[in-house]
Amino acid sequence: MGVSRVMNDVKPYLAMILLQVGFAGMYVVAVASLKRGMSHFVLVVYRNLFATAVMAPFALWFERRVRPRMTLVIFLKIMGLALLEPVLDQNLYYMGANLTSAGFASALINVLPAVTFVMALVLRMERVRLRSVHSQAKIAGTLFTVAGAVLMVLYHGPVVQFPWTKGQHHDGASGGAGGAAGGGFLQGTIFIVVACVCWSGFFVLQSNTLQSYPAELSLTTLICLMGSVMSGAVALVAERHNTRAWLIGFDTRLFTCVYAGIVCSGVAYYVQGIVSRQRGPVFVTAFNPLCMIITAIMGSIILKEEIRLGSVIGAVIIVVGLYALIWGKSADNVNPPASDAGAAAGSNKGGAGGELPLTTTGAVPNGGHGSKHGANGGHVFDVETPPPANGHY
């Protein structure tokens, strides 16, 4: 029983760590393709088409008996999710990464948990009590994260040499933050920050949507499908004078589309949806520092990108802030609503397959505390809520 409980508790952490490794690989191969002339508009379209093709069969089969009825409100939320993530976030991020570097972009995107926390706080999905030490850690972590991001933008510093970069000769194009032109670097930074805000909005809206549409595979497929249509319309306008941009061969461009679509759209949306519904959107976004470290190392080795001292110092400050935020979140008692638990239980009946939850949900007592429904349909997490008598969270 003890080992089983530990494994259930570890699953969300392991899932998010593996996702960050997948994201790190995508950042590197995507920037490599973009710097070789691939259109980021076309990349977003193909990425979501591959994700839709891969995820649709699983959604149709495993959730064929438990898929909730589609309503106008849910459809509008799916449209909003597709606009925020596949269309705005991905296009803006790719533009920003191309103007700066893969390492810098993955480091700056670490303001994501702080932005998500602020959004969740405004929407009453998080609650803060100033007298609570854990709440103070959340606030301090958010401020540290923003401060680290600002430092990375304002201060570059000398190039930091690592054992695997000694003897490398960087040209201006591959120098990332240091080699980019001042205007291009600033523009790229703005693109990444706006993309981060869009991505945070996606996580918050996804967590809210899953309360009324608890079918992660179907929701993932619909987001990717609508994202393909909407991003396709944008790409047709943006690349109307360059029809050759749609041609991809059996090279890194095809690999980037397939990899990003399957791993970073299809699988990522599904896993993030499950974890977000069980642990909240802030927990999902709190693992980005691992992605930043892996991307920086891979970018310096594969793409020959420079790592500047300002990026290193800013990244360290961001990591400190993020894990202060995670420690503050550790006091939250996140319980799924009864409707979600019932849907999860129902999905395993009748041989339908359904989702495989990453944590045990049905055995956690509520005791009148924990998650409550606010006016917006989301969760209100009370950091002051004491743990149940049996010690479970």
Side-chain angles (χ1 to χ4, degrees):
M1 179 66 69
V3 175
S4 176
R5 181 188 170 195
V6 170
M7 291 300 297
N8 277 321
D9 291 340
V10 168
K11 283 181 181 178
Y13 295 91
L14 181 61
M16 298 314 301
I17 290 173
L18 292 177
L19 272 187
Q20 295 308 316
V21 175
F23 277 125
M26 185 273 293
Y27 292 149
V28 173
V29 297
V31 170
S33 296
L34 293 174
K35 291 186 180 298
R36 292 179 181 178
M38 185 177 188
S39 169
H40 62 85
F41 294 108
V42 175
L43 172 57
V44 172
V45 177
Y46 285 148
R47 166 179 173 171
N48 286 280
L49 283 175
F50 279 112
T52 303
V54 171
M55 299 302 294
F58 293 98
L60 292 173
W61 175 258
F62 287 105
E63 294 178 345
R64 65 190 186 279
R65 299 181 183 178
V66 299
R67 189 180 302 109
R69 184 174 63 88
M70 179 63 64
T71 64
L72 178 61
V73 174
I74 294 175
F75 178 75
L76 292 176
K77 288 182 178 180
I78 293 174
M79 291 287 289
L81 288 168
L83 178 64
L84 285 172
E85 221 303 281
V87 180
L88 293 178
D89 168 53
Q90 291 179 17
N91 278 303
L92 290 172
Y93 179 86
Y94 287 145
M95 287 191 290
N98 193 33
L99 290 172
T100 56
S101 71
F104 177 85
S106 65
L108 186 58
I109 207 72
N110 281 314
V111 301
L112 181 67
V115 176
T116 307
F117 172 68
V118 173
M119 283 188 177
L121 187 63
V122 172
L123 297 174
R124 299 184 62 211
M125 299 176 73
E126 292 278 345
R127 177 173 293 174
V128 170
R129 293 183 178 178
L130 296 179
R131 293 185 179 181
S132 168
V133 177
H134 287 275
S135 294
Q136 293 170 1
K138 288 183 179 182
I139 297 173
T142 302
L143 295 177
F144 267 85
T145 301
V146 175
V150 172
L151 177 64
M152 290 177 60
V153 175
L154 298 180
Y155 174 68
H156 298 167
V159 176
V160 178
Q161 293 291 340
F162 294 97
W164 59 85
T165 62
K166 289 182 179 179
Q168 283 185 182
H169 297 283
H170 301 275
D171 54 29
S174 64
F185 174 78
L186 179 60
Q187 186 180 21
T189 301
I190 294 174
F191 286 155
I192 296 171
V193 172
V194 177
C196 182
V197 175
C198 293
W199 202 3
S200 297
F202 172 85
F203 282 121
V204 173
L205 182 57
Q206 182 189 37
S207 179
N208 177 270
T209 304
L210 285 169
Q211 307 306 319
S212 54
Y213 195 81
E216 286 84 0
L217 287 171
S218 299
L219 183 62
T220 296
T221 303
L222 290 172
I223 292 173
C224 294
L225 176 61
M226 297 308 300
S228 301
V229 174
M230 297 169 70
S231 59
V234 173
L236 286 174
V237 175
E239 301 293 347
R240 60 187 181 277
H241 300 304
N242 182 22
T243 56
R244 293 185 60 83
W246 295 90
L247 299 177
I248 57 174
F250 291 92
D251 51 17
T252 56
R253 292 175 296 177
L254 178 61
F255 176 77
T256 300
C257 295
V258 175
Y259 178 88
I262 297 176
V263 177
C264 302
S265 286
V267 175
Y269 292 166
Y270 171 63
V271 174
Q272 288 168 351
I274 294 178
V275 178
S276 178
R277 188 151 62 95
Q278 296 176 353
R279 295 297 184 96
V282 178
F283 179 90
V284 173
T285 60
F287 290 81
N288 281 68
L290 178 61
C291 177
M292 170 194 65
I293 295 171
I294 298 173
T295 304
I297 295 175
M298 293 175 64
S300 64
I301 296 174
I302 299 174
L303 303 179
K304 309 300 182 182
E305 292 180 343
E306 295 177 349
I307 300 178
R308 297 277 175 169
L309 180 61
S311 295
V312 174
I313 298 175
V316 171
I317 296 176
I318 289 174
V319 170
V320 172
L322 285 175
Y323 286 101
L325 183 60
I326 291 176
W327 183 81
K329 283 288 296 177
S330 66
D332 289 349
N333 184 14
V334 182
N335 294 324
S339 60
D340 291 352
S347 64
N348 293 323
K349 295 179 181 179
E355 67 170 284
L356 298 176
L358 295 176
T359 58
T360 302
T361 57
V364 183
N366 194 354
H369 300 283
S371 59
K372 298 179 281 289
H373 286 289
N376 62 350
H379 286 156
V380 178
F381 300 133
D382 187 350
V383 298
E384 290 286 304
T385 302
N390 61 2
H392 295 316
Y393 280 91

